[in-house]
Amino acid sequence: MTLQDALFNWAQIRLVADARPDDHAAAETADFFAEILQEDHQVTSFGLVVVDEEIIRLDYTHEGVNKSQSYDRDRVERLLADIRSNPKYNEQ
C-alpha cells in the first residue's frame, strides 16, 4: 500500500472511529492503518485538521520531515456518510 493510500484510508476510518466511539471495529481499523503508517512508511505523527467546509488537512511527520496533505472534505467523509445511511450499521 502506498503512503498516500494509507494516509487517506487512515483519515477516513479515523473520522468514523471518532464519530462512533462504540464502534470497536472502526477503532481497530484506524489502529491498523496507523500501524501501516508507522511501520511501513516511517510516519511518526499524524492528525486531522478541519480547515473549512471544503477541506480536511492531514498533518504528519514522514522520515523526520513535517508534511501535510489536503483532501476534499466530502471525499474523506464519504465512508462515514455511507455507514450512517445504512440501517444495518446503526442498529442499537
Side-chain angles (χ1 to χ4, degrees), residues 36-47:
I36 288 172
L37 288 169
Q38 294 165 337
E39 293 181 7
D40 295 353
H41 297 289
Q42 295 71 52
V43 174
T44 55
S45 65
F46 37 94

Side-chain angles (χ1 to χ4, degrees), residues 17-76:
D18 289 348
R20 299 169 52 94
D22 294 332
D23 186 338
H24 301 291
E28 289 175 10
T29 304
D31 291 344
F32 169 75
F33 282 109
E35 188 175 303
I36 288 172
L37 288 169
Q38 294 165 337
E39 293 181 7
D40 295 353
H41 297 289
Q42 295 71 52
V43 174
T44 55
S45 65
F46 37 94
L48 293 174
V49 177
V50 176
V51 175
D52 57 33
E53 292 180 9
E54 297 179 9
I55 302 292
I56 288 181
R57 188 181 73 229
L58 196 161
D59 295 331
Y60 63 101
T61 303
H62 179 238
E63 297 178 341
V65 179
N66 293 331
K67 299 182 177 186
S68 65
Q69 177 68 43
S70 294
Y71 299 104
D72 177 78
R73 187 170 175 174
D74 288 337
R75 186 171 169 236
V76 176

Side-chain angles (χ1 to χ4, degrees), residues 8 32 80-81:
F8 181 76
F32 169 75
L80 179 58

